[in-house]
Amino acid sequence: MERIRMGVIGLGRMGGHHVRCIKAGQGMVLSAVTDADPSRAEALAPGTPFHESVDDLLRHCDAVVLAVPSPLHAEMGIRILDAGKHLLMEKPLAADLRGCDRLAAAAEAAGVVLDVGHVERLNWAYRQTRESVSNPRFVEAHRLGGYDPRGTEVDVVLDLMIHDLDLVLDLFGGEPDRVEAVGVAVLTSRVDIANARLEFPGGALVNLTASRVSRDPVRKMRIFEANGYHSLDLGARCVEVVRRMGPAPMEMDRRVLTAPEDHNPLVDELEEFRRRILGEETRLPGVKGGRRAVALAERVIADIERRSDAGERVPGEGTQWAAPS
């Protein structure tokens, strides 16, 4: 396959980004789109064939990007995999571990590629940091955004914090021994702001905050080692590197590295997905990586629930997720 025919299911914010980035990527062609709201296709993908049904779309593509609400990931993903199509799932892989395992089994049975779009792994600032960090001892991250109805079908942990949970798991290469978390519902009936404290083997600590009720957007992470630190601005795609050069505390080397202007992590993610379809090694997390992130998110949510005065989360009331037929 010289050019992989890509279909996009779900034309919300992320689906729209995928439409644009498939067109900008190498070795792919946007061959089909569908959404519960047909008017989105005219606005986001003019000239691309729109299919009213998922089954019809699947006949016109080799691979699919699924960008629908998280509670729909497992059922719709299995439908795509059972049709023999490769699948790139927008994060999270599924809304729970059972869904992750069902997707993994379906992909294995069909003999097709299943991966998950943890796009921050392809962020230039993180890639530069990942190559140079060897022994992190303390990590803190803030991922803050304003209220957006998109994503509120799940807690902020699965909506936003999961990006940083994935990066931390990749950075440490293992699971935390201890998870402590707090969170509250603010504008929805689910947790809208949360803080998690993770302790990894050897005593390394991680402090993560995620909010979808903040005024200004923030996507920052700081990683401290014995003799310096990396300060990442994932939104601006730059990293400040500070290292001690000698015994004197103030003798420091400070550099700021910025991504090339044409860097687009979502284009890189799609091209990595194409390479995986062709049997090449990639930097994507794979099914195991996607499952690990959901498993850690569930540990965070469980501790929030344990500490909640109510004892259990209040499920969202009256929420409906429209899926293409």
Side-chain angles (χ1 to χ4, degrees):
M1 290 184 290
E2 291 186 3
R3 299 184 73 196
I4 293 178
R5 299 177 302 160
M6 300 287 296
V8 176
I9 299 176
L11 298 175
R13 189 176 73 183
M14 284 309 302
H17 289 323
H18 277 287
V19 164
R20 173 175 51 82
C21 291
I22 287 170
K23 294 178 179 179
Q26 299 295 315
M28 299 169 283
V29 58
L30 182 65
S31 63
V33 297
T34 192
D35 189 89
D37 180 0
S39 67
R40 290 178 175 174
E42 283 185 40
L44 297 172
T48 301
F50 176 84
H51 299 273
E52 294 186 356
S53 76
V54 170
D55 292 336
D56 190 28
L57 174 141
L58 293 175
R59 288 192 285 269
H60 296 85
C61 58
D62 307 305
V64 171
V65 173
L66 185 58
V68 298
S70 300
L72 302 175
H73 283 193
E75 294 300 330
M76 293 194 68
I78 290 169
R79 185 174 171 186
I80 294 163
L81 296 167
D82 285 349
K85 306 301 179 181
H86 306 291
L87 173 59
L88 178 63
M89 184 77 77
E90 255 306 316
K91 64 80 195 165
L93 181 59
D96 53 38
L97 283 177
R98 181 174 177 270
C100 292
D101 292 339
R102 292 175 63 210
L103 285 164
E108 184 175 3
V112 294
V113 168
L114 167 64
D115 222 315
V116 57
H118 282 292
V119 70
E120 294 287 36
R121 286 207 187 194
L122 283 300
N123 191 303
W124 188 91
Y126 178 73
R127 281 163 44 191
Q128 298 301 307
T129 300
R130 186 69 180 83
E131 292 174 2
S132 60
V133 167
S134 59
N135 187 26
R137 302 303 302 154
F138 179 71
V139 178
E140 62 177 0
H142 291 82
R143 187 170 294 267
L144 316 176
Y147 176 73
D148 183 346
R150 180 214 58 80
T152 56
E153 69 278 356
V154 293
D155 291 326
V156 72
V157 177
L158 275 170
D159 180 22
L160 297 181
M161 185 183 285
I162 196 163
H163 282 294
D164 297 315
L165 294 174
D166 174 65
L167 294 185
V168 166
L169 287 168
D170 180 57
L171 193 64
F172 284 93
E175 313 296 324
D177 293 329
R178 185 180 180 87
V179 174
E180 298 179 345
V182 293
V184 293
V186 181
L187 297 179
T188 76
S189 56
R190 297 185 179 274
V191 173
D192 293 316
I193 182 167
N195 175 266
R197 182 182 184 275
L198 318 177
E199 184 173 342
F200 282 82
L205 296 177
V206 173
N207 197 319
L208 306 178
T209 299
S211 168
R212 57 189 179 200
V213 290
S214 298
R215 185 180 64 179
D216 299 317
V218 175
R219 289 161 54 198
K220 294 186 176 181
M221 175 178 282
R222 292 201 295 173
I223 303 170
F224 295 85
E225 296 184 279
N227 295 305
Y229 66 89
H230 289 67
S231 180
L232 294 73
D233 187 329
L234 295 162
R237 298 167 192 164
C238 66
V239 54
E240 180 184 19
V241 183
V242 179
R243 294 211 179 273
R244 192 176 69 187
M245 300 302 294
M250 296 305 293
E251 191 178 348
M252 309 291 285
D253 175 58
R254 189 183 303 268
R255 293 176 294 149
V256 177
L257 309 174
T258 303
E261 289 186 7
D262 61 351
H263 168 63
N264 186 321
L266 191 56
V267 171
D268 287 354
E269 177 186 277
L270 288 160
E271 291 179 346
E272 292 280 291
F273 179 55
R274 175 184 180 273
R275 281 191 279 272
R276 179 145 185 242
I277 292 172
L278 298 178
E280 301 174 16
E281 292 292 324
T282 77
R283 293 169 290 193
L284 296 178
V287 175
K288 289 183 179 179
R291 187 188 189 280
R292 287 175 67 204
V294 172
L296 184 51
E298 287 196 348
R299 290 177 66 185
V300 171
I301 292 168
D303 202 64
I304 292 173
E305 292 178 346
R306 182 181 67 82
R307 295 168 185 271
S308 169
D309 291 338
E312 294 184 0
R313 266 183 308 167
V314 178
E317 298 177 359
T319 302
Q320 300 293 324
W321 306 294
S325 59

mmCIF file of all heavy atoms in Angstrom, residues 150-180:
data_model
loop_
_atom_site.group_PDB
_atom_site.id
_atom_site.type_symbol
_atom_site.label_atom_id
_atom_site.label_comp_id
_atom_site.label_asym_id
_atom_site.label_seq_id
_atom_site.Cartn_x
_atom_site.Cartn_y
_atom_site.Cartn_z
ATOM 1 N N ARG A 150 -17.339 19.063 25.248
ATOM 2 C CA ARG A 150 -16.648 17.894 24.701
ATOM 3 C C ARG A 150 -15.813 17.234 25.795
ATOM 4 O O ARG A 150 -15.044 17.883 26.493
ATOM 5 C CB ARG A 150 -15.720 18.335 23.564
ATOM 6 C CG ARG A 150 -14.940 17.197 22.919
ATOM 7 C CD ARG A 150 -13.570 17.644 22.470
ATOM 8 N NE ARG A 150 -12.763 18.181 23.543
ATOM 9 C CZ ARG A 150 -12.093 17.423 24.419
ATOM 10 N NH1 ARG A 150 -12.149 16.120 24.361
ATOM 11 N NH2 ARG A 150 -11.383 17.999 25.370
ATOM 12 N N GLY A 151 -15.956 15.961 25.941
ATOM 13 C CA GLY A 151 -15.163 15.224 26.909
ATOM 14 C C GLY A 151 -15.792 15.067 28.265
ATOM 15 O O GLY A 151 -15.289 14.308 29.100
ATOM 16 N N THR A 152 -16.901 15.772 28.532
ATOM 17 C CA THR A 152 -17.480 15.722 29.875
ATOM 18 C C THR A 152 -18.306 14.467 30.114
ATOM 19 O O THR A 152 -18.895 14.312 31.183
ATOM 20 C CB THR A 152 -18.349 16.969 30.132
ATOM 21 O OG1 THR A 152 -19.353 17.076 29.118
ATOM 22 C CG2 THR A 152 -17.503 18.224 30.145
ATOM 23 N N GLU A 153 -18.332 13.550 29.160
ATOM 24 C CA GLU A 153 -18.982 12.262 29.404
ATOM 25 C C GLU A 153 -18.132 11.375 30.314
ATOM 26 O O GLU A 153 -18.583 10.321 30.769
ATOM 27 C CB GLU A 153 -19.263 11.544 28.071
ATOM 28 C CG GLU A 153 -18.046 11.042 27.327
ATOM 29 C CD GLU A 153 -17.364 12.115 26.501
ATOM 30 O OE1 GLU A 153 -17.880 13.246 26.442
ATOM 31 O OE2 GLU A 153 -16.325 11.799 25.888
ATOM 32 N N VAL A 154 -16.880 11.804 30.574
ATOM 33 C CA VAL A 154 -16.002 11.104 31.511
ATOM 34 C C VAL A 154 -15.393 12.129 32.467
ATOM 35 O O VAL A 154 -15.455 13.328 32.231
ATOM 36 C CB VAL A 154 -14.877 10.332 30.773
ATOM 37 C CG1 VAL A 154 -15.440 9.176 29.961
ATOM 38 C CG2 VAL A 154 -14.056 11.270 29.889
ATOM 39 N N ASP A 155 -14.793 11.627 33.548
ATOM 40 C CA ASP A 155 -14.096 12.510 34.485
ATOM 41 C C ASP A 155 -12.915 13.185 33.805
ATOM 42 O O ASP A 155 -12.386 12.692 32.796
ATOM 43 C CB ASP A 155 -13.582 11.714 35.682
ATOM 44 C CG ASP A 155 -14.705 11.204 36.566
ATOM 45 O OD1 ASP A 155 -15.713 11.909 36.693
ATOM 46 O OD2 ASP A 155 -14.564 10.106 37.126
ATOM 47 N N VAL A 156 -12.449 14.301 34.370
ATOM 48 C CA VAL A 156 -11.300 15.013 33.830
ATOM 49 C C VAL A 156 -10.047 14.132 33.812
ATOM 50 O O VAL A 156 -9.130 14.354 33.021
ATOM 51 C CB VAL A 156 -11.057 16.314 34.621
ATOM 52 C CG1 VAL A 156 -10.497 16.013 36.014
ATOM 53 C CG2 VAL A 156 -10.138 17.255 33.858
ATOM 54 N N VAL A 157 -10.028 13.099 34.648
ATOM 55 C CA VAL A 157 -8.878 12.185 34.671
ATOM 56 C C VAL A 157 -8.742 11.470 33.335
ATOM 57 O O VAL A 157 -7.644 11.372 32.776
ATOM 58 C CB VAL A 157 -9.019 11.177 35.828
ATOM 59 C CG1 VAL A 157 -7.859 10.180 35.825
ATOM 60 C CG2 VAL A 157 -9.086 11.904 37.166
ATOM 61 N N LEU A 158 -9.852 10.966 32.794
ATOM 62 C CA LEU A 158 -9.824 10.296 31.491
ATOM 63 C C LEU A 158 -9.858 11.284 30.336
ATOM 64 O O LEU A 158 -9.425 10.956 29.224
ATOM 65 C CB LEU A 158 -11.006 9.337 31.361
ATOM 66 C CG LEU A 158 -10.819 7.938 31.947
ATOM 67 C CD1 LEU A 158 -12.147 7.191 31.956
ATOM 68 C CD2 LEU A 158 -9.773 7.145 31.168
ATOM 69 N N ASP A 159 -10.332 12.478 30.590
ATOM 70 C CA ASP A 159 -10.439 13.496 29.547
ATOM 71 C C ASP A 159 -9.102 14.187 29.296
ATOM 72 O O ASP A 159 -8.634 14.276 28.154
ATOM 73 C CB ASP A 159 -11.516 14.503 29.959
ATOM 74 C CG ASP A 159 -11.717 15.616 28.940
ATOM 75 O OD1 ASP A 159 -11.365 15.426 27.763
ATOM 76 O OD2 ASP A 159 -12.221 16.682 29.337
ATOM 77 N N LEU A 160 -8.449 14.684 30.367
ATOM 78 C CA LEU A 160 -7.229 15.486 30.228
ATOM 79 C C LEU A 160 -6.012 14.881 30.934
ATOM 80 O O LEU A 160 -4.942 14.774 30.339
ATOM 81 C CB LEU A 160 -7.472 16.901 30.758
ATOM 82 C CG LEU A 160 -8.529 17.748 30.038
ATOM 83 C CD1 LEU A 160 -8.616 19.122 30.686
ATOM 84 C CD2 LEU A 160 -8.221 17.864 28.560
ATOM 85 N N MET A 161 -6.165 14.495 32.199
ATOM 86 C CA MET A 161 -5.004 14.005 32.939
ATOM 87 C C MET A 161 -4.373 12.784 32.300
ATOM 88 O O MET A 161 -3.169 12.546 32.444
ATOM 89 C CB MET A 161 -5.383 13.687 34.394
ATOM 90 C CG MET A 161 -4.186 13.291 35.256
ATOM 91 S SD MET A 161 -4.625 12.823 36.943
ATOM 92 C CE MET A 161 -4.960 14.439 37.658
ATOM 93 N N ILE A 162 -5.138 12.008 31.556
ATOM 94 C CA ILE A 162 -4.610 10.784 30.978
ATOM 95 C C ILE A 162 -3.427 11.043 30.048
ATOM 96 O O ILE A 162 -2.555 10.198 29.887
ATOM 97 C CB ILE A 162 -5.724 9.983 30.255
ATOM 98 C CG1 ILE A 162 -5.247 8.549 30.017
ATOM 99 C CG2 ILE A 162 -6.177 10.686 28.973
ATOM 100 C CD1 ILE A 162 -6.352 7.586 29.706
ATOM 101 N N HIS A 163 -3.357 12.241 29.445
ATOM 102 C CA HIS A 163 -2.179 12.591 28.642
ATOM 103 C C HIS A 163 -0.919 12.510 29.501
ATOM 104 O O HIS A 163 0.095 11.914 29.103
ATOM 105 C CB HIS A 163 -2.310 14.028 28.110
ATOM 106 C CG HIS A 163 -3.215 14.164 26.941
ATOM 107 N ND1 HIS A 163 -2.963 13.606 25.709
ATOM 108 C CD2 HIS A 163 -4.389 14.846 26.817
ATOM 109 C CE1 HIS A 163 -3.933 13.914 24.871
ATOM 110 N NE2 HIS A 163 -4.801 14.665 25.512
ATOM 111 N N ASP A 164 -0.961 13.119 30.676
ATOM 112 C CA ASP A 164 0.213 13.157 31.539
ATOM 113 C C ASP A 164 0.454 11.819 32.231
ATOM 114 O O ASP A 164 1.604 11.450 32.485
ATOM 115 C CB ASP A 164 0.078 14.293 32.558
ATOM 116 C CG ASP A 164 0.017 15.649 31.874
ATOM 117 O OD1 ASP A 164 0.834 15.885 30.962
ATOM 118 O OD2 ASP A 164 -0.863 16.453 32.225
ATOM 119 N N LEU A 165 -0.608 11.075 32.521
ATOM 120 C CA LEU A 165 -0.425 9.722 33.043
ATOM 121 C C LEU A 165 0.340 8.868 32.038
ATOM 122 O O LEU A 165 1.247 8.102 32.409
ATOM 123 C CB LEU A 165 -1.785 9.085 33.358
ATOM 124 C CG LEU A 165 -2.592 9.733 34.491
ATOM 125 C CD1 LEU A 165 -3.972 9.092 34.580
ATOM 126 C CD2 LEU A 165 -1.861 9.619 35.819
ATOM 127 N N ASP A 166 0.005 8.993 30.763
ATOM 128 C CA ASP A 166 0.717 8.241 29.730
ATOM 129 C C ASP A 166 2.181 8.657 29.653
ATOM 130 O O ASP A 166 3.075 7.805 29.562
ATOM 131 C CB ASP A 166 0.041 8.445 28.371
ATOM 132 C CG ASP A 166 0.824 7.804 27.240
ATOM 133 O OD1 ASP A 166 0.942 6.568 27.213
ATOM 134 O OD2 ASP A 166 1.346 8.555 26.386
ATOM 135 N N LEU A 167 2.458 9.968 29.697
ATOM 136 C CA LEU A 167 3.842 10.431 29.624
ATOM 137 C C LEU A 167 4.651 9.944 30.821
ATOM 138 O O LEU A 167 5.805 9.524 30.683
ATOM 139 C CB LEU A 167 3.887 11.961 29.547
ATOM 140 C CG LEU A 167 3.300 12.612 28.296
ATOM 141 C CD1 LEU A 167 3.533 14.118 28.334
ATOM 142 C CD2 LEU A 167 3.883 12.015 27.026
ATOM 143 N N VAL A 168 4.053 9.972 31.994
ATOM 144 C CA VAL A 168 4.755 9.533 33.203
ATOM 145 C C VAL A 168 5.047 8.037 33.143
ATOM 146 O O VAL A 168 6.137 7.586 33.502
ATOM 147 C CB VAL A 168 3.918 9.906 34.448
ATOM 148 C CG1 VAL A 168 4.430 9.174 35.672
ATOM 149 C CG2 VAL A 168 3.961 11.407 34.673
ATOM 150 N N LEU A 169 4.085 7.258 32.680
ATOM 151 C CA LEU A 169 4.316 5.821 32.543
ATOM 152 C C LEU A 169 5.433 5.541 31.538
ATOM 153 O O LEU A 169 6.269 4.655 31.751
ATOM 154 C CB LEU A 169 3.027 5.124 32.105
ATOM 155 C CG LEU A 169 1.940 4.995 33.174
ATOM 156 C CD1 LEU A 169 0.629 4.560 32.536
ATOM 157 C CD2 LEU A 169 2.360 4.020 34.260
ATOM 158 N N ASP A 170 5.454 6.300 30.457
ATOM 159 C CA ASP A 170 6.527 6.144 29.476
ATOM 160 C C ASP A 170 7.865 6.568 30.058
ATOM 161 O O ASP A 170 8.889 5.919 29.833
ATOM 162 C CB ASP A 170 6.200 6.979 28.236
ATOM 163 C CG ASP A 170 7.271 6.875 27.158
ATOM 164 O OD1 ASP A 170 7.563 5.748 26.719
ATOM 165 O OD2 ASP A 170 7.818 7.921 26.775
ATOM 166 N N LEU A 171 7.868 7.627 30.828
ATOM 167 C CA LEU A 171 9.095 8.170 31.391
ATOM 168 C C LEU A 171 9.720 7.211 32.406
ATOM 169 O O LEU A 171 10.938 6.986 32.407
ATOM 170 C CB LEU A 171 8.791 9.514 32.057
ATOM 171 C CG LEU A 171 9.947 10.412 32.453
ATOM 172 C CD1 LEU A 171 10.727 10.865 31.231
ATOM 173 C CD2 LEU A 171 9.413 11.617 33.212
ATOM 174 N N PHE A 172 8.895 6.624 33.269
ATOM 175 C CA PHE A 172 9.414 5.756 34.331
ATOM 176 C C PHE A 172 9.495 4.288 33.906
ATOM 177 O O PHE A 172 10.227 3.506 34.522
ATOM 178 C CB PHE A 172 8.560 5.884 35.589
ATOM 179 C CG PHE A 172 8.805 7.151 36.355
ATOM 180 C CD1 PHE A 172 8.037 8.276 36.128
ATOM 181 C CD2 PHE A 172 9.824 7.236 37.287
ATOM 182 C CE1 PHE A 172 8.259 9.462 36.821
ATOM 183 C CE2 PHE A 172 10.068 8.414 37.984
ATOM 184 C CZ PHE A 172 9.288 9.526 37.748
ATOM 185 N N GLY A 173 8.728 3.909 32.894
ATOM 186 C CA GLY A 173 8.799 2.536 32.406
ATOM 187 C C GLY A 173 8.169 1.513 33.326
ATOM 188 O O GLY A 173 8.380 0.307 33.152
ATOM 189 N N GLY A 174 7.414 1.938 34.310
ATOM 190 C CA GLY A 174 6.777 1.014 35.243
ATOM 191 C C GLY A 174 5.615 1.679 35.935
ATOM 192 O O GLY A 174 5.303 2.852 35.711
ATOM 193 N N GLU A 175 4.956 0.925 36.816
ATOM 194 C CA GLU A 175 3.770 1.404 37.498
ATOM 195 C C GLU A 175 4.128 2.041 38.836
ATOM 196 O O GLU A 175 5.094 1.637 39.494
ATOM 197 C CB GLU A 175 2.805 0.239 37.756
ATOM 198 C CG GLU A 175 2.571 -0.667 36.565
ATOM 199 C CD GLU A 175 1.891 0.057 35.423
ATOM 200 O OE1 GLU A 175 1.036 0.911 35.714
ATOM 201 O OE2 GLU A 175 2.212 -0.240 34.258
ATOM 202 N N PRO A 176 3.355 3.018 39.296
ATOM 203 C CA PRO A 176 3.586 3.572 40.633
ATOM 204 C C PRO A 176 3.177 2.587 41.718
ATOM 205 O O PRO A 176 2.227 1.814 41.547
ATOM 206 C CB PRO A 176 2.699 4.823 40.647
ATOM 207 C CG PRO A 176 1.624 4.548 39.660
ATOM 208 C CD PRO A 176 2.247 3.708 38.586
ATOM 209 N N ASP A 177 3.911 2.619 42.832
ATOM 210 C CA ASP A 177 3.550 1.794 43.985
ATOM 211 C C ASP A 177 2.341 2.358 44.719
ATOM 212 O O ASP A 177 1.557 1.598 45.301
ATOM 213 C CB ASP A 177 4.722 1.725 44.971
ATOM 214 C CG ASP A 177 5.912 0.963 44.408
ATOM 215 O OD1 ASP A 177 5.686 0.048 43.604
ATOM 216 O OD2 ASP A 177 7.060 1.302 44.774
ATOM 217 N N ARG A 178 2.213 3.672 44.690
ATOM 218 C CA ARG A 178 1.184 4.326 45.506
ATOM 219 C C ARG A 178 0.507 5.430 44.696
ATOM 220 O O ARG A 178 1.170 6.171 43.975
ATOM 221 C CB ARG A 178 1.829 4.909 46.764
ATOM 222 C CG ARG A 178 0.876 5.518 47.780
ATOM 223 C CD ARG A 178 1.673 6.047 48.969
ATOM 224 N NE ARG A 178 0.817 6.649 49.971
ATOM 225 C CZ ARG A 178 0.227 5.988 50.964
ATOM 226 N NH1 ARG A 178 0.424 4.681 51.078
ATOM 227 N NH2 ARG A 178 -0.534 6.616 51.837
ATOM 228 N N VAL A 179 -0.804 5.520 44.831
ATOM 229 C CA VAL A 179 -1.595 6.546 44.148
ATOM 230 C C VAL A 179 -2.514 7.204 45.162
ATOM 231 O O VAL A 179 -3.290 6.525 45.850
ATOM 232 C CB VAL A 179 -2.434 5.947 42.999
ATOM 233 C CG1 VAL A 179 -3.360 7.008 42.405
ATOM 234 C CG2 VAL A 179 -1.541 5.357 41.922
ATOM 235 N N GLU A 180 -2.425 8.528 45.271
ATOM 236 C CA GLU A 180 -3.335 9.310 46.106
ATOM 237 C C GLU A 180 -3.922 10.422 45.254
ATOM 238 O O GLU A 180 -3.187 11.069 44.489
ATOM 239 C CB GLU A 180 -2.605 9.896 47.312
ATOM 240 C CG GLU A 180 -2.030 8.852 48.258
ATOM 241 C CD GLU A 180 -1.288 9.481 49.418
ATOM 242 O OE1 GLU A 180 -0.982 10.689 49.343
ATOM 243 O OE2 GLU A 180 -1.012 8.770 50.392
#
